[in-house]
Amino acid sequence: MKWNLRMVAAQRDVWKASELQRMLAEAGLVISAGKMSHLWSGRPLTVRLDDLDIICEVLDCTPAELLVPEQSAGRQETTAVEETPRQVVGGTPVMHQRRPGRSGPPL
């Protein structure tokens, strides 16, 4: 899914994140500058459903306009399990296995 807030806001003549942040605050949703930056840039960490309702109310849109499916042609699904050998101080190799659709452990 692609977060499409900036495009939806622009279609409603809202061009600045600070302007949208003010409008949301007037509707009862106070958002920090950091979270607003993530929402505006298209990379929100989380979006609560209650917050989504208020955003849609303020922008007079639907969640379907804000959450747009991405094209699957550009994505390449990996079917085989990727294995990456790693060396540790003791000399014993550690194998990290990645499953399709999951991220690896922190290294």
Side-chain angles (χ1 to χ4, degrees):
M1 295 301 252
K2 180 181 175 189
W3 182 246
N4 201 29
L5 176 67
R6 204 168 185 170
M7 181 65 73
V8 172
Q11 291 169 346
R12 282 132 180 101
D13 283 333
V14 178
W15 300 100
K16 294 181 179 181
S18 59
E19 182 181 353
L20 179 59
Q21 187 176 17
R22 182 189 47 77
M23 293 169 66
L24 292 172
E26 290 173 359
L29 178 60
V30 178
I31 296 180
S32 69
K35 185 165 183 171
M36 191 66 213
S37 175
H38 284 285
L39 288 171
W40 194 254
S41 69
R43 295 175 278 122
L45 301 174
T46 59
V47 178
R48 294 181 33 215
L49 293 177
D50 294 340
D51 297 350
L52 185 61
D53 282 341
I54 294 173
I55 293 169
C56 288
E57 180 182 317
V58 166
L59 292 176
D60 191 30
C61 67
T62 65
E65 292 175 87
L66 293 174
L67 299 166
V68 179
E70 291 186 271
Q71 297 288 335
S72 61
R75 297 168 121 185
Q76 292 184 355
E77 297 290 328
T78 55
T79 55
V81 174
E82 298 176 23
E83 295 182 7
T84 308
R86 301 276 182 191
Q87 288 294 107
V88 293
V89 175
T92 314
V94 176
M95 300 298 287
H96 293 281
Q97 296 179 344
R98 293 190 182 204
R99 296 184 189 129
R102 298 185 69 178
S103 63
L107 300 175

